[in-house]
Amino acid sequence: MTGPARHDLPEADAFTRAYWDAAAGGRLLIRRCGACGRAHHYPREFCPYCWSEDVVWERASGRALLYTWSVVHRNDLPPFGERTPYVAAVVDLAEGPRMMTEVVGCEEPAAGLELEVTFREGVPVFRPRGRGTAA
């Protein structure tokens, strides 16, 4: 018998498999357009700025700034209930795109807080820069 459904783990498809495989290996990928040069995230098969299909995977630096956040005190979906309170956030990646994520290991979030990527079960989350190695 299996446990309750997990709502925090990705369902990779043929297109996003490269992204999730890289994350499982501790690397954050973004997409960059060969036509206009802009980076974007979430992964798409075309550039959301110029609509070119000339886009490639690129390793991101893993650095970001906290843009906005919400401290979640209640979530009944497994396994989030065990993690409350947690910080749901949007971060500005150093390469330019914004990314939805979770901030871990942060007592007092603040706009502009410098963050770095870490991974929990193959999912990118962010922590304050220079603090430990595990999510």
Side-chain angles (χ1 to χ4, degrees):
M1 178 166 211
T2 62
R6 295 273 309 258
H7 297 277
D8 63 329
L9 299 177
E11 291 185 28
D13 59 27
F15 174 68
T16 62
R17 185 156 318 282
Y19 176 83
W20 293 115
D21 286 350
R27 293 172 292 130
L28 178 62
L29 298 182
I30 57 174
R31 301 281 279 172
R32 185 165 304 273
C33 179
C36 73
R38 292 180 74 177
H40 63 272
H41 186 82
Y42 64 91
R44 286 166 269 202
E45 296 185 55
F46 61 90
C47 175
Y49 303 106
C50 73
W51 299 95
S52 171
E53 293 180 4
D54 180 20
V55 290
V56 295
W57 293 106
E58 172 183 295
R59 186 171 183 172
S61 67
R63 294 186 322 269
L65 297 176
L66 184 57
Y67 175 70
T68 190
W69 71 95
S70 179
V71 178
V72 179
H73 293 276
R74 182 175 176 150
N75 187 335
D76 296 331
L77 296 174
F80 297 106
E82 300 164 4
R83 294 182 187 158
T84 58
Y86 63 89
V87 180
V90 176
V91 300
D92 287 331
L93 299 176
E95 293 78 12
R98 285 200 169 133
M99 177 179 176
M100 293 177 60
T101 187
E102 182 180 342
V103 175
V104 297
C106 184
E107 297 290 321
E108 296 183 30
L113 179 66
E114 292 184 357
L115 303 168
E116 61 190 1
V117 73
T118 189
F119 297 85
R120 180 178 55 219
E121 296 183 68
V123 176
V125 296
F126 285 77
R127 65 173 176 232
R129 285 195 60 192
R131 296 205 190 150
T133 58

